[in-house]
Amino acid sequence: WDSRVKEHFWLSPDTRVTIELFYDRLHVDDREKTRLAIETAIGEHSQYDIEYRTVSPEGKVRWVRAIGRGFYDKDGNPTRFDGVTIDITRNKALEAELREALERVRFMAESMPQKIFTANAEGQVTYVNRQWTEYTGLSRAELDGNKWTKAIHPEDAPENLRHWEECVAKVASFECEHRVRRSDGVYRWHLTRAHPMRDVSGEVVTWIGSTTDIEEQKQAEVTLEKTVAERTAKLKETIGDLEAFSYSVSHDLRSPLRAMQGYADELLNEASQALSPTHRNYLERIHRAASRLDRLTQDILSYSKLSNAEIHLHRVDVSKLVHEIIEQYPHLRDSEAKIEVREPMHDVIGNEAFLTQALSNLMNNGIKFVAKDQRPELSIYTEEREGCVKIVVADNGIGIERRHYDRIFQIFGRIHPDSKFPGTGIGLAIVKKTAERMNGSVGFESEYQAGSRFWIALQKAT
Ligand code: ADP
């Protein structure tokens, strides 16, 4: 009350004149109801609490809230009347502004295609627009408070209400997708969003929400998902067929190829003296070409086998595996390369055979793609991040130019001619495929002419 208390008046039965003057000061429209309220309170010996307008001699109107009560002698006659009045002009103006703002919102809401609603700070729906009542066939009274949940699919309503109450409590924007029942009983998918509107002091004045029919988008999504699933299945089938095809082709190619290699060998061993240097050179070329074709068919075979091979994933001791690979592969063991295995290494979830193939390919490349006059240096180590382990093979080789980045993991994606760095261009495609089959991924960083870091990322074994 404090500073807003404007007057304190005291009345006794002989100050009737004063009270008449008081009524004269009131707005004509408020005089009768104020008089009635005061007289009723006196008659009933009760308190009154009323709002009215006062008009100053200059004609200035102010809103006032008055609370008062009378005191009575033992015969029930009023002896005194105490009351306080508070100037509420500003509150009234704010209320009117708010009412107008809400009216405007509602007016706009009625003319929109969406279903619009408002709710109070407690989350109780206070208004729904015509689109809500027309769509659901329910009246406003049937949708207010928490009754709107009746129009929501029973499978969605409890969760929607829980989420709504949570957002109201936290004063956080609300969003959900749910099925709303049309008047004919058909449910259609809708997207509902609501935002709190605050006053200057930060208090929530109202929530304003919209509900949009998204049934068609939903249907389109379902159709799209179905189409994608069907196409993926077909594509997988085609890839499977192609891989089976390349497997059998490569397989069948190998026996005539062996015959070519074998006879060329025989000729070189047994008849090379009888051949002219040119013819001998031709024969050596045939032999080299046959060997290269053999390597190619073998690599294609390995690649196609990867897709169909059964794979069992288990814990793999990476450190042990790397040492075994170095021991087993003579060109790694006996090469002049400096190979450093940085311990400790993290174990991964993978498959030993697949990982052996992948890591040996990476290590071979690391040694192979080095400038002629440079001693190859390999560093193998692991890095752990967020449950994932990267097995890194870093080299001091020729590096890769940025423009070739996209090609190198593709099958036959080679950069250099076979004469400079022999190979088939399938090694990294195999690394990628093995990593994918072990639910992992591959990648690299490289600096042209200053080395590369290739890695396979797999799930960490705990
Ligand atoms: P291949 O080794 O048989 O050529 P890969 O699939 O293993 O085939 O590699 C594809 C290409 O990627 C290579 O031809 C080479 O150009 C490049 N490459 C792979 N590893 C490295 C590396 N460690 N350093 C530089 N280039 C590399």
Side-chain angles (χ1 to χ4, degrees):
W1 312 96
D2 46 60
S3 62
R4 288 182 295 166
V5 176
K6 289 283 183 208
E7 276 175 65
H8 177 106
F9 60 90
W10 183 93
L11 295 170
S12 67
D14 47 271
T15 54
R16 284 270 170 210
V17 184
T18 321
I19 199 156
E20 286 312 322
L21 274 176
F22 160 73
Y23 286 129
D24 283 349
R25 288 268 198 96
L26 299 193
H27 191 288
V28 275
D29 292 349
D30 295 344
R31 277 181 203 161
E32 271 326 295
K33 74 170 193 209
T34 309
R35 184 192 293 274
L36 192 69
I38 293 175
E39 281 174 4
T40 308
I42 294 171
E44 292 174 355
H45 293 196
S46 60
Q47 178 176 300
Y48 79 88
D49 184 345
I50 186 170
E51 291 176 0
Y52 52 74
R53 281 161 290 181
T54 60
V55 185
S56 73
E58 297 80 42
K60 204 167 163 200
V61 177
R62 300 206 71 82
W63 269 100
V64 166
R65 178 178 173 195
I67 303 164
R69 62 172 290 227
F71 292 86
Y72 309 91
D73 62 17
K74 57 183 187 317
D75 302 323
N77 296 315
T79 55
R80 214 175 86 218
F81 204 80
D82 279 359
V84 285
T85 62
I86 311 145
D87 190 325
I88 56 164
T89 312
R90 189 161 159 66
N91 305 27
K92 281 285 178 190
L94 286 176
E95 265 176 37
E97 257 175 49
L98 188 63
R99 238 191 342 267
E100 264 173 41
L102 281 176
E103 278 312 311
R104 273 201 297 276
V105 169
R106 286 172 190 186
F107 178 75
M108 265 161 45
E110 293 300 318
S111 52
M112 279 175 139
Q114 273 111 330
K115 300 168 188 69
I116 306 286
F117 61 92
T118 61
N120 61 19
E122 286 74 47
Q124 299 293 310
V125 168
T126 45
Y127 160 81
V128 294
N129 70 347
R130 189 168 42 83
Q131 286 72 354
W132 259 108
T133 53
E134 275 177 5
Y135 176 85
T136 56
L138 299 171
S139 67
R140 291 206 160 116
E142 284 172 306
L143 288 165
D144 67 7
N146 269 348
K147 286 181 251 151
W148 54 271
T149 46
K150 278 187 305 191
I152 310 297
H153 195 288
E155 280 173 20
D156 304 338
E159 172 53 24
N160 290 167
L161 186 59
R162 192 202 58 74
H163 183 39
W164 170 239
E165 284 171 349
E166 188 182 68
C167 290
V168 168
K170 286 199 216 148
V171 193
S173 293
F174 170 84
E175 180 172 324
C176 80
E177 286 185 5
H178 50 185
R179 287 158 286 180
V180 185
R181 197 182 56 222
R182 203 166 56 190
S183 53
D184 59 0
V186 171
Y187 283 96
R188 288 176 69 84
W189 278 101
H190 283 71
L191 169 70
T192 292
R193 287 197 179 119
H195 301 284
M197 213 174 98
R198 297 165 190 263
D199 63 14
V200 277
S201 63
E203 292 290 315
V204 175
V205 184
T206 184
W207 284 77
I208 298 181
S210 66
T211 300
T212 314
D213 190 322
I214 52 162
E215 181 67 26
E216 269 153 38
Q217 284 103 300
K218 275 271 173 190
Q219 294 291 355
E221 255 173 51
V222 172
T223 320
L224 188 68
E225 270 168 28
K226 224 174 109 205
T227 318
V228 169
E230 278 168 10
R231 298 228 171 117
T232 313
K234 265 198 197 135
L235 206 61
K236 275 194 180 146
E237 208 181 292
T238 316
I239 291 173
D241 286 350
L242 275 175
E243 280 168 351
F245 172 74
S246 63
Y247 178 83
S248 54
V249 168
S250 320
H251 197 263
D252 293 348
L253 276 179
R254 290 201 74 197
S255 45
L257 198 57
R258 284 230 187 80
M260 282 163 67
Q261 272 179 305
Y263 286 117
D265 257 353
E266 297 270 300
L267 259 178
L268 275 172
N269 289 337
E270 292 172 17
S272 71
Q273 306 303 333
L275 295 172
S276 71
T278 314
H279 291 154
R280 205 183 129 80
N281 181 272
Y282 288 165
L283 199 54
E284 278 166 358
R285 283 180 182 223
I286 292 174
H287 190 264
R288 274 205 302 277
S291 300
R292 177 161 167 72
L293 194 54
D294 191 33
R295 274 203 325 266
L296 265 170
T297 48
Q298 275 187 54
D299 280 357
I300 295 175
L301 270 174
S302 317
Y303 184 79
S304 12
K305 268 190 210 151
L306 283 177
S307 309
N308 304 319
E310 285 267 323
I311 179 168
H312 174 61
L313 298 182
H314 49 81
R315 184 189 196 99
V316 179
D317 181 337
V318 178
S319 166
K320 190 164 153 258
L321 189 77
V322 169
H323 287 289
E324 277 171 9
I325 294 172
I326 298 170
E327 274 309 301
Q328 277 166 18
Y329 288 73
H331 51 288
L332 289 174
R333 190 188 57 213
D334 304 333
S335 78
E336 54 164 40
K338 184 175 160 228
I339 303 179
E340 175 206 20
V341 182
R342 241 184 264 166
E343 305 282 359
M345 290 180 132
H346 295 279
D347 290 358
V348 295
I349 299 295
N351 174 284
E352 254 175 44
F354 276 49
L355 204 51
T356 303
Q357 197 164 14
L359 286 176
S360 60
N361 284 3
L362 291 184
M363 284 151 76
N364 272 330
N365 281 352
I367 290 179
K368 182 166 66 171
F369 293 103
V370 175
K372 278 228 151 31
D373 50 355
Q374 186 148 22
R375 181 184 177 203
E377 280 177 23
L378 278 192
S379 219
I380 302 146
Y381 55 93
T382 58
E383 281 175 354
E384 191 236 317
R385 196 165 303 154
E386 291 162 9
C388 198
V389 171
K390 268 187 185 179
I391 310 172
V392 185
V393 178
D395 64 50
N396 62 338
I398 56 173
I400 299 158
E401 278 181 276
R402 189 162 286 276
R403 65 194 169 102
H404 297 309
Y405 278 10
D406 290 345
R407 293 177 49 198
I408 59 167
F409 280 103
Q410 287 168 11
I411 198 157
F412 304 129
R414 306 207 73 229
I415 304 169
H416 310 281
D418 193 55
S419 55
K420 203 163 170 206
F421 294 106
T424 56
I426 302 177
L428 286 182
I430 288 179
V431 176
K432 184 161 180 257
K433 184 81 139 197
T434 52
E436 282 165 2
R437 293 237 37 211
M438 292 185 286
N439 302 329
S441 57
V442 288
F444 73 99
E445 286 122 36
S446 182
E447 206 176 317
Y448 187 46
Q449 293 181 336
S452 313
R453 277 163 33 92
F454 278 83
W455 49 259
I456 302 172
L458 294 172
Q459 194 197 326
K460 184 186 169 201
T462 45

